Amino acid sequence: MPTISDRAWDDILALLRRRWPDLVRPWFRTLQPEQMDRGVLLVRPREMAHFDYLRRHCQEAFREAAQEVLGRLVTVEFAEPDTPAVPETPLSFGGDSAQFTLNGDYTFENFITGPCNRLAHAAAVAVAENPGRVYNPLFIHGDVGLGKTHLLQAVCHELRCRHAAGRVLYITCETFTNHYVEAIERGAVHQFRDCYRSVDALVIDDVQFLASRERSREEFFHTFNSLFQSQIQIILSADESPRGIPSLEDRLVSRFNWGLVARIESPCLETRMAILRRKAKTRCAEVPEDVVHYVAAYTNSSIRELEGALTKVLAVSQQYGGRIDLDIAKEAIGDHLPATTREPSITDIMDVVMERYNVRMSDLQGKKRNRSLVFARQVCMYLARELTSLSLEEIGGHFGGRDHSTVLHGVRAIQEQLANDEELPLIMKDLMQRLRQS
Ligand code: ADP
Ligand code: MG
């Protein structure tokens, strides 16, 4: 395999030491370039922990140093260490093997915060800094694709960074139950318990699956108590709040509520845009702002879907020599709008309301407060709340930057009138019908 000279490699390391002294670790000495192929310099560390560290923190610095020393455009990539084949015996996992399940990109640095996830994020950071002390357990819930796994794993990365010797176990609920069933079959329940009860932090993703597994639930209950009594940090995630998970007994629900329960909501437009910018940057793609806006507006639920949309745009842009602009974005995702997201836009809503109540756009968005205008505005807000998945903040933004409590007030005012008025329900029904057809 062609690679670079030892001399060049030493220079790269030396440059790294000079320019990024905080980043460089003593074990960098053990690193060797493995090959240099088509502008990619491949470096394979010997240890998983080193690989993790390099991928999380060092990509940019290595690239810059390599480009400077070699005098040409190269990228540096880190490859997973070659591991001796370890037999897959789930009961013998240690701190190390558990590391394989973590995604190196799911770090705090890569997690964008906004109103939708601020509490969950702050709690996760606090727990990572002070495990077992502040919030125990920490229970994070929210719909699929909103970043629960990302946050849980970020805590794991952080804990492993801070307490290299500790055993931080990240596991999905399914793996937990599978291990347990296997342990029973093999008559190795003791071993199972030793394993789970000797961790320094236990992180279980998607605990809603416990609902359907009675025996595992029982075992989990005892594991929980044992860890909790020793002030070992427990972090859990689910797609529902503890109370909302069907057939989860009260004793578990109340255990989950002992600590902090934090919900992640769907991200608002601004947060989605920030996430897209970050994802684009991670992929070294320059995405203009109007495209960021277009893609972020395309989906308003799952962030995974948002990433999928970005992937499509980048793929199509390849056909145009890497150019990324609005037309390309439209070509990439415009035709693929899933039927369920075809919801009326704010402009559609304003249009029907303007026509019905004979008001102008500038009235709806302006500051005037005469009753008929306020009412028309509130109808818009109500319709937007009912028919779109825009957040209260976003809706307010379309009406002259009103804040979310104003929108909420408007929506409630209409709800009240709908309950007490004869005519309004009919008008509303007609407006909604027209919007659904448009
Ligand atoms: P969940 O476990 O809630 O279903 P994930 O944690 O798997 O969701 O997140 C889905 C994708 O969205 C991942 O690629 C993740 O990195 C990304 N993601 C979610 N929330 C954020 C955020 N706040 N900032 C950056 N990326 C995010
Ligand atoms: Mg998940």
Side-chain angles (χ1 to χ4, degrees), residues 102 108 119-141 147-160 167-173 176 196 199-208 210 220 223-224 227-228 231-238 242 255-256 259-262 264:
L102 290 190
F108 281 129
L119 174 64
H121 173 263
V125 170
V127 158
E129 285 172 355
N130 226 335
R133 308 277 172 216
V134 273
Y135 308 118
N136 204 14
L138 172 60
F139 189 105
I140 294 179
H141 68 103
K148 301 181 296 291
T149 298
H150 188 140
L151 259 190
L152 257 53
Q153 295 203 4
V155 178
C156 295
H157 281 303
E158 198 62 32
L159 285 174
R160 283 187 184 155
R167 287 215 314 139
V168 179
L169 181 58
Y170 168 88
I171 202 161
T172 64
C173 184
F176 178 88
Y196 277 91
V199 296
D200 297 300
L202 179 65
V203 183
I204 303 194
D205 210 348
D206 290 324
V207 292
Q208 70 270 14
L210 273 181
F220 175 79
T223 306
F224 183 101
L227 294 177
F228 184 83
Q231 290 194 317
I232 302 287
Q233 181 68 48
I234 303 162
I235 309 174
L236 307 163
S237 86
R255 291 284 187 289
F256 291 166
L260 180 77
V261 176
I264 304 188

Side-chain angles (χ1 to χ4, degrees), residues 348-391:
D348 296 336
I349 292 174
M350 286 179 178
D351 281 344
V352 296
V353 172
M354 285 177 333
E355 194 188 323
R356 169 89 217 182
Y357 293 103
N358 201 14
V359 293
R360 287 169 309 177
M361 176 86 94
S362 56
D363 292 331
L364 289 175
Q365 297 183 322
K367 299 254 174 283
K368 283 195 220 139
R369 297 207 37 88
N370 35 333
R371 266 182 73 187
S372 59
L373 280 185
V374 171
F375 178 74
R377 230 176 257 143
Q378 291 178 336
V379 170
C380 288
M381 291 171 180
Y382 173 84
L383 287 168
R385 193 65 183 158
E386 287 291 309
L387 301 180
T388 76
S389 35
L390 296 174
S391 68

